Amino acid sequence: MLDDITRISSEFDSALASANTAAALDDLRVHYFGRKGGLIPALFSRLKEVPKEQKKDAGDALNKLRDRLESELKEKSERVTAEESARKQSRDIIDVTLPARIPHLGHLHPVTIIRREMETIFSEMGYSLDPGPEVESDWYNFEALNFTPDHPARDTQDTFFLDADAPPRGEGSGRLPYLLRTHTSNVQIRSMENHTPPVKVLSCGRVYRRDEITMRRSPMFHQAEGFLVDKGIHIGHLRATLEHFIKRLFGADSKMRMRPSFFPFTEPSAEVDMSCVFCKGAGCGTCSHTGWMEILGCGMIHPQVLRNVGIDPEEWSGFAFGLGLDRCAMIKFDIPNIRTLFENDLRVLQQF
Ligand code: DAH
């Protein structure tokens, strides 16, 4: 009996040392003290078989063993349970000093950046925004803008005509045929038809021309069209508006100049150059050593265009201008090839 007590005692020591979880310690407790088959109760029940003269020693030793095992088990269980709950708590704690995880944000396309900047600049001057339709009729895209059916200027805007109910090109002077708009100037007509002056509108959107893809050209590109009709509007208003716009978009040190030009829907018409953003007018490879970059077309709205939408040119006058948003993005972000804008290569887009 005494031998068993000694053996169980030392077995317990190593079992206790290797039980390091609350669950393992509980198993140990059942193994030693469980009512059914626990080693300690089993020893107690064997006491009655022990010869009388050894009973006292055996009983003392057994009591001691039980007390020691009980207290050591209790002490370690309490410690391990406390450690486990502390560890769990620290896992649940929110460390408010940790830097926040910033979610991955998308990027705006360079053309979108330019469009939004332009819309902001003109909204601040009181312009309304109206993108207008991309599928358009001959009337709005050409005829009402003073391009007569055989007008040679139509050839400069090689057009995608749409099949649906569309007579052959050049025929029909009504609202047909349908086409993909070649410029955003269609919005001039649509806006003036729907609003009595004074009107101030900026229109940004896609336009289409049957062009080969080159470094500078694409069959789909983006334009912005602005126009204003009011009483007593003259070319000075146009110039001041464009100067303000160019300085806002390309920097306060930008300069502009106007060259006479021709558009069917404006008279007089001009093309506007701005000082090269790369060399500041000194001359460099990008501006062909002229110091200037062509940026937009503009003019005073032709009296016939006003008449076409029922506005009396004796009473009202206005100006209009149009420019390529892709070209602006290429200048502003120094992108040499227009295709870069439409290939949607993430390595490119992530830079903006
Ligand atoms: N619509 C012309 C184009 O696409 C650009 C333009 C020129 C617009 C002169 C205008 C303007 O409003 O006055 O080539």
Side-chain angles (χ1 to χ4, degrees):
M1 177 88 181
L2 285 174
D3 288 348
D4 284 345
I5 290 175
T6 317
R7 181 177 49 81
I8 287 174
S9 176
S10 74
E11 274 173 9
F12 172 82
D13 288 340
S14 63
L16 184 70
S18 55
N20 290 313
T21 63
L25 288 161
D26 199 52
D27 287 348
L28 215 58
R29 187 185 55 72
V30 172
H31 185 63
Y32 285 92
F33 292 101
R35 237 180 274 162
K36 280 186 201 148
L39 296 181
I40 301 293
L43 283 177
F44 273 103
S45 58
R46 274 173 55 200
L47 259 185
K48 52 181 175 299
E49 298 155 15
V50 174
K52 230 184 181 159
E53 60 281 7
Q54 293 171 18
K55 222 173 216 150
K56 187 173 176 317
D57 286 349
D60 285 349
L62 195 48
N63 279 333
K64 246 203 221 138
L65 176 68
R66 180 199 56 206
D67 293 349
R68 180 173 80 83
L69 266 52
E70 247 171 19
S71 82
E72 287 186 15
L73 253 178
K74 182 164 176 273
E75 185 270 329
K76 188 162 184 183
S77 296
E78 280 171 1
R79 185 159 48 81
V80 167
T81 307
E83 279 169 8
E84 281 183 1
S85 80
R87 227 174 301 143
K88 180 174 181 310
Q89 229 173 44
S90 77
R91 231 178 309 150
D92 293 346
I93 274 174
I94 296 170
D95 181 353
V96 293
T97 66
L98 272 182
R101 265 179 233 142
I102 310 283
H104 181 75
L105 290 179
H107 294 250
L108 290 180
H109 191 279
V111 173
T112 308
I113 296 173
I114 296 291
R115 175 174 58 76
R116 291 200 183 172
E117 280 186 37
M118 245 192 112
E119 288 176 345
T120 303
I121 294 168
F122 281 92
S123 297
E124 285 172 10
M125 289 195 273
Y127 282 65
S128 320
L129 305 175
D130 180 2
E134 289 173 31
V135 172
E136 192 49 288
S137 70
D138 189 89
W139 170 257
Y140 289 101
N141 192 81
F142 288 125
E143 192 139 349
L145 286 161
N146 214 20
F147 291 79
T148 46
D150 52 356
H151 200 293
R154 286 185 181 231
D155 294 343
T156 63
Q157 303 199 351
D158 219 345
T159 310
F160 287 110
F161 286 90
L162 300 175
D163 273 344
D165 297 316
R169 183 173 174 195
E171 282 182 26
S173 57
R175 309 250 143 166
L176 294 173
Y178 289 114
L179 44 79
L180 296 179
R181 68 174 174 190
T182 59
H183 53 183
T184 39
S185 303
N186 63 328
V187 182
Q188 280 190 38
I189 305 302
R190 289 191 171 269
S191 295
M192 290 194 288
E193 257 184 4
N194 293 328
H195 304 281
T196 43
V199 278
K200 288 199 253 186
V201 175
L202 181 79
S203 170
C204 299
R206 292 191 180 89
V207 300
Y208 303 85
R209 291 186 198 177
R210 291 176 49 181
D211 273 327
E212 300 287 323
I213 300 177
T214 65
M215 292 271 282
R216 299 283 196 88
R217 284 174 193 279
S218 151
M220 186 283 293
F221 57 105
H222 301 82
Q223 276 191 344
E225 178 94 7
F227 64 94
L228 177 157
V229 179
D230 204 336
K231 289 193 170 147
I233 297 301
H234 55 73
I235 204 161
H237 296 117
L238 170 61
R239 189 178 170 113
T241 304
L242 294 178
E243 217 164 87
H244 172 76
F245 157 64
I246 287 172
K247 284 182 194 295
R248 279 283 303 271
L249 191 62
F250 292 104
D253 53 351
S254 306
K255 296 187 179 44
M256 67 166 264
R257 69 177 185 188
M258 290 168 107
R259 284 180 289 108
S261 185
F262 173 80
F263 300 101
F265 41 90
T266 43
E267 181 58 38
S269 304
E271 250 156 298
V272 171
D273 300 333
M274 66 169 185
S275 50
C276 175
V277 293
F278 302 107
C279 64
K280 305 285 172 210
C284 68
T286 311
C287 61
S288 311
H289 303 281
T290 61
W292 295 98
M293 307 176 113
E294 191 186 314
I295 174 91
L296 56 83
C298 64
M300 302 306 293
I301 298 176
H302 197 293
Q304 185 57 44
V305 173
L306 294 176
R307 260 181 241 118
N308 287 344
V309 290
I311 293 176
D312 180 1
E314 298 299 322
E315 193 181 350
W316 305 95
S317 56
F319 63 70
F321 58 90
L323 55 85
L325 289 174
D326 316 276
R327 188 167 152 68
C328 284
M330 288 164 75
I331 293 172
K332 181 134 180 175
F333 299 119
D334 194 10
I335 300 168
N337 191 332
I338 195 170
R339 271 174 291 185
T340 311
L341 294 175
F342 305 132
E343 280 167 353
N344 291 333
D345 185 332
L346 284 181
R347 290 167 303 177
V348 173
L349 297 179
Q350 274 164 358
Q351 296 175 41
F352 299 97

